[in-house]
Amino acid sequence: MACTVSPVLPLAKPDFIVLSSRIKTKIASSSISCCRTHPRQYSVLRRVSKFHPIISNGCVVHCRSNDQVERNCLSSQGTASNNDLTHEVQIRKWNWRGYSIRYQYSGNSGPALVLIHGFGANSDHWRKNIPVLAKSHRVYAIDLIGYGYSDKPNPRQFSDNYYTFETWATQLNDFCNDVVKDEAFFICNSIGGVVGLQAAVMAPQICKGIIILNISLRMLHIKKQPWFGRPFIRSFQSLLRNTAVGKYFYKIVATPESVKSILCQCYHDTSQVTEELVQKILNPGLEPGAADVFLEFICYSGGPLPEELLPQVKCPVLIAWGDKDPWEPIELGRNYGNFDSVEDFVILPNVGHCPQDEAPHLVNPLVKSFVARHATPSASVSTTI
């Protein structure tokens, strides 16, 4: 499917205010310049062949009938065995503090995984990962409050900012206690990576390990802005949040054409931007309250930065990064590999901002290998929900 990338619509990314590339790079570099030089850089294909034993013609073999990418990998390998059958994915609701939260679940045994989506997305963004990982894990994918088909309380009913990383981290930890009822590994994309790190800092006894895919660099954070730019940013955010301009802007963004264009910006392989994907991202954004949540978050310039959280995390962290991400450049992201808590920084070649959906044949083996290295025997218990 051909995609036309429109230069008019980069604003759907939270870091929508455009700084010059020179200023942006300087600010981000200085914010994490205290890290030491990290000696480890890997080709992901080399690492995957080390982690996973089933390799054929350079492609990692997993199969399920409704996964375009993985079916293509098996096209020359014959019929899949019974062990490769798709696990049923169940959609459930969980009541959290009086709000209805949607989550998806599959798998009855093995370590628990909780998959955490990025900005503007939802648990459907893990549709190519859940059934594959459920063959040997208990897999949960949650819609963060305000996103997907979870409730979207109006942020104006709260005295303080509600849609913050602390809120989502608390939701995640409570989900592990109430639903998973076990320790878990967090698998995160984009802002979901900040959520996972914050949750691990707040309740270290819950998180066994974290895999982060193209974490948000949070370039609009107030600490990363020059003093002379801060009043402009605050004024622009106020304009969006408190006037009709914001709702008008959201109307422009929340259309099939705009969502497709935005996805084509952040996916390097635009053939993965299917009509199915567009609808899975767009439809929850048309629900009542979605516009208020969207505008509230893009006006959120506080909270933790990844470089502030990583030194506090006690569990192992693996960072994987699509090297064609136009929103979170790998040149800046690779500095996160220098923290002591990060055991590996893995480069995903020719992949954009959402590796779990664009390149599941690379991401799924990384998850399996990482979890296998850090899971304890007690994590292999069988659970039926």
Side-chain angles (χ1 to χ4, degrees), residues 74-90:
L74 278 173
S75 60
S76 62
Q77 308 305 319
T79 304
S81 69
N82 291 335
N83 291 332
D84 290 321
L85 294 176
T86 299
H87 281 64
E88 179 185 2
V89 178
Q90 303 178 41

Side-chain angles (χ1 to χ4, degrees), residues 181-207:
K181 301 182 185 299
D182 198 0
E183 300 169 328
F185 290 86
F186 299 158
I187 317 301
C188 319
N189 175 230
S190 191
I191 69 162
V194 186
V195 174
L197 290 175
Q198 179 69 58
V201 169
M202 292 170 63
Q205 74 279 8
I206 291 176
C207 185

Side-chain angles (χ1 to χ4, degrees), residues 174-249:
D174 288 349
F175 179 79
C176 291
N177 286 327
D178 295 350
V179 178
V180 181
K181 301 182 185 299
D182 198 0
E183 300 169 328
F185 290 86
F186 299 158
I187 317 301
C188 319
N189 175 230
S190 191
I191 69 162
V194 186
V195 174
L197 290 175
Q198 179 69 58
V201 169
M202 292 170 63
Q205 74 279 8
I206 291 176
C207 185
K208 293 284 292 180
I210 308 175
I211 292 182
I212 298 173
L213 307 171
N214 292 61
I215 194 170
S216 171
L217 296 165
R218 303 214 60 207
M219 292 305 300
L220 265 189
H221 195 284
I222 198 68
K223 293 181 181 178
K224 292 190 175 182
Q225 303 308 314
W227 65 268
F228 53 84
R230 295 177 186 180
F232 167 74
I233 292 172
R234 293 293 193 195
S235 297
F236 189 62
Q237 290 174 330
S238 178
L239 179 71
L240 288 177
R241 187 176 184 272
N242 300 316
T243 73
V245 172
K247 293 293 178 69
Y248 177 74
F249 165 66

Side-chain angles (χ1 to χ4, degrees), residues 272-295:
Q272 300 303 315
V273 181
T274 62
E275 293 303 323
E276 177 195 18
L277 174 63
V278 169
Q279 291 304 314
K280 286 188 179 298
I281 299 297
L282 173 63
N283 288 344
L286 300 177
E287 293 204 327
D292 292 321
V293 176
F294 176 89
L295 294 171

Side-chain angles (χ1 to χ4, degrees), residues 63-339:
C63 178
R64 58 187 178 90
S65 59
N66 61 343
D67 190 324
Q68 180 71 33
V69 174
E70 296 181 357
R71 185 169 69 250
N72 288 345
C73 291
L74 278 173
S75 60
S76 62
Q77 308 305 319
T79 304
S81 69
N82 291 335
N83 291 332
D84 290 321
L85 294 176
T86 299
H87 281 64
E88 179 185 2
V89 178
Q90 303 178 41
I91 296 178
R92 303 275 179 113
K93 294 287 187 178
W94 166 55
N95 185 292
W96 180 64
R97 300 185 174 183
Y99 298 114
S100 176
I101 303 298
R102 180 184 79 148
Y103 71 93
Q104 302 187 47
Y105 170 79
S106 187
N108 294 317
S109 63
L113 314 181
V114 181
L115 316 183
I116 308 157
H117 62 79
F119 174 71
N122 60 82
S123 58
D124 288 335
H125 215 187
W126 299 96
R127 69 198 189 284
K128 298 178 183 178
N129 316 101
I130 299 172
V132 176
L133 297 173
K135 297 170 189 175
S136 51
H137 306 82
R138 290 169 288 143
V139 184
Y140 304 80
I142 189 171
D143 287 0
L144 297 174
I145 190 166
Y147 292 109
Y149 295 98
S150 290
D151 280 350
K152 302 167 180 63
N154 190 326
R156 296 181 184 273
Q157 73 186 52
F158 302 95
S159 56
D160 297 321
N161 289 341
Y162 183 73
Y163 293 102
T164 67
F165 293 107
E166 290 80 4
T167 297
W168 289 316
T170 301
Q171 177 193 355
L172 177 56
N173 286 331
D174 288 349
F175 179 79
C176 291
N177 286 327
D178 295 350
V179 178
V180 181
K181 301 182 185 299
D182 198 0
E183 300 169 328
F185 290 86
F186 299 158
I187 317 301
C188 319
N189 175 230
S190 191
I191 69 162
V194 186
V195 174
L197 290 175
Q198 179 69 58
V201 169
M202 292 170 63
Q205 74 279 8
I206 291 176
C207 185
K208 293 284 292 180
I210 308 175
I211 292 182
I212 298 173
L213 307 171
N214 292 61
I215 194 170
S216 171
L217 296 165
R218 303 214 60 207
M219 292 305 300
L220 265 189
H221 195 284
I222 198 68
K223 293 181 181 178
K224 292 190 175 182
Q225 303 308 314
W227 65 268
F228 53 84
R230 295 177 186 180
F232 167 74
I233 292 172
R234 293 293 193 195
S235 297
F236 189 62
Q237 290 174 330
S238 178
L239 179 71
L240 288 177
R241 187 176 184 272
N242 300 316
T243 73
V245 172
K247 293 293 178 69
Y248 177 74
F249 165 66
Y250 188 77
K251 275 187 171 182
I252 296 174
V253 170
T255 66
E257 297 77 17
S258 294
V259 170
K260 180 178 177 181
S261 177
I262 293 161
L263 289 169
C264 283
Q265 290 178 19
C266 69
Y267 278 57
H268 181 66
D269 178 6
T270 57
S271 70
Q272 300 303 315
V273 181
T274 62
E275 293 303 323
E276 177 195 18
L277 174 63
V278 169
Q279 291 304 314
K280 286 188 179 298
I281 299 297
L282 173 63
N283 288 344
L286 300 177
E287 293 204 327
D292 292 321
V293 176
F294 176 89
L295 294 171
E296 185 74 10
F297 184 73
I298 61 176
C299 296
Y300 174 48
S301 296
L305 291 165
E307 53 267 33
E308 295 171 341
L309 294 171
L310 280 167
Q312 303 178 60
V313 172
K314 305 302 182 185
C315 64
V317 178
L318 184 147
I319 297 179
W321 212 285
D323 67 349
K324 303 301 184 184
D325 187 342
W327 291 349
E328 313 293 353
I330 192 170
E331 291 77 14
L332 305 180
R334 71 173 70 245
N335 290 302
Y336 290 137
N338 299 332
F339 289 91

Side-chain angles (χ1 to χ4, degrees), residues 44-46 48-49 54-61 73 77 361-362:
V44 69
L45 296 182
R46 183 169 72 248
V48 168
S49 64
I54 308 176
I55 305 290
S56 179
N57 296 331
C59 187
V60 181
V61 175
C73 291
Q77 308 305 319
H361 58 289
L362 301 181

